[in-house]
Amino acid sequence: MEILTLNSKVKIGCKICDKCCIYRGDIKITSINVAMISKYLNISAKEFVKKYTHDVDGEFPEIALNGIGNKRACILYNQETYKCKIHKVKPMQCVMFPLVPEDLKSDYFINSGSCEYDEQKEIKVKKWLGGNRGIYKKYKEFYIKWIALMEEIQFRSSHLTPDSKKYIKKYLYEEFDENKNLKRQAEKNLEIVTKFVMNNFKE
């Protein structure tokens, strides 16, 4: 399969269908997603996590958006308008779709082929990723750090106690003040959890 760079041209586009939003339940979200989406929906981060997400089995502390109905549609998908209810603050996985990162640090991708577009116009990868108010560029580094932390936690998962798991989830998904800079808060909380895990659960 061809490896794409930011300057590669791909034949993808959006015709407002539902292919990216149905048969889901696997859209993982980060702490910055929790902070941004809960603020956008005008609810607390804790309420958002409880109402809209579920724990990813065997991958603590990762959570994913719920899939509902026979088609397991994303819980934040408007099935009447075929549009995302949180388009302005959608998760990184949704921003990149149908592109899948092969090496995020180097901006290498593959086209999953899930997004068929009738006109098949070519567009540069960087332009496709540049939409959604620049979410990809703005949060890429955080996303990379998040993935690294998830791998570290899961590597040490057998040593985590119930209290330590509660502490980790609290800082990742609850400790936000919507009146302050959410990105900075998420970055600080990520550092707190990283130090906690590395200092207390060494292999």
Side-chain angles (χ1 to χ4, degrees):
M1 190 169 288
E2 181 185 5
I3 300 298
L4 305 171
T5 67
L6 290 178
N7 289 314
S8 298
K9 290 185 177 181
V10 288
K11 293 182 177 181
I12 56 177
C14 181
K15 59 180 181 179
I16 315 297
C17 69
D18 58 6
K19 288 187 178 180
C20 57
C21 303
I22 60 173
Y23 299 110
R24 303 312 299 252
D26 62 344
I27 302 174
K28 294 181 180 179
I29 58 176
T30 68
S31 57
I32 190 62
N33 295 140
V34 171
M36 293 171 63
I37 297 171
S38 60
K39 181 177 181 179
Y40 189 79
L41 296 176
N42 197 30
I43 59 177
S44 69
K46 189 173 184 179
E47 182 181 354
F48 167 73
V49 170
K50 182 178 181 180
K51 184 176 180 180
Y52 293 95
T53 75
H54 63 274
D55 293 334
V56 179
D57 189 35
E59 296 182 38
F60 176 86
E62 296 198 72
I63 60 176
L65 294 174
N66 293 335
I68 59 175
N70 294 330
K71 291 186 176 181
R72 294 178 62 237
C74 172
I75 193 170
L76 292 168
Y77 168 57
N78 188 323
Q79 299 185 51
E80 294 181 357
T81 63
Y82 299 103
K83 294 182 180 180
C84 175
K85 295 179 181 179
I86 57 163
H87 180 71
K88 293 181 179 180
V89 292
K90 63 171 55 175
M92 184 70 83
Q93 188 175 334
C94 303
V95 169
M96 293 187 290
F97 187 90
L99 302 178
V100 178
E102 177 70 16
D103 181 347
L104 201 59
K105 290 183 179 179
S106 301
D107 294 309
Y108 291 156
F109 305 86
I110 57 174
N111 184 1
S112 68
S114 302
C115 189
E116 299 177 2
Y117 192 49
D118 292 339
E119 296 180 20
Q120 291 288 288
K121 292 181 179 179
E122 286 191 327
I123 183 174
K124 279 192 175 183
V125 169
K126 63 181 176 182
K127 185 174 182 180
W128 181 259
L129 297 175
N132 296 91
R133 300 163 69 179
I135 288 176
Y136 177 78
K137 184 177 181 179
K138 189 175 182 180
Y139 297 104
K140 172 189 165 182
E141 292 304 319
F142 179 87
Y143 193 65
I144 291 173
K145 291 178 182 178
W146 176 268
I147 293 173
L149 176 59
M150 295 301 103
E151 291 175 348
E152 287 292 344
I153 291 175
Q154 288 159 23
F155 180 67
R156 294 166 169 74
S157 60
S158 61
H159 300 286
L160 299 178
T161 64
D163 284 343
S164 64
K165 288 184 177 182
K166 186 176 180 180
Y167 177 90
I168 290 170
K169 293 200 75 170
K170 178 183 178 181
Y171 268 96
L172 292 183
Y173 303 124
E174 296 178 20
E175 292 293 303
F176 296 103
D177 181 345
E178 65 175 33
N179 296 312
K180 296 181 180 180
N181 187 296
L182 296 177
K183 185 172 183 284
R184 290 177 185 172
Q185 290 181 72
E187 289 172 339
K188 181 179 179 181
N189 290 351
L190 198 69
E191 291 178 4
I192 290 173
V193 172
T194 299
K195 290 180 180 179
F196 175 74
V197 172
M198 299 300 284
N199 292 335
N200 294 285
F201 304 98
K202 298 179 180 180
E203 277 293 326

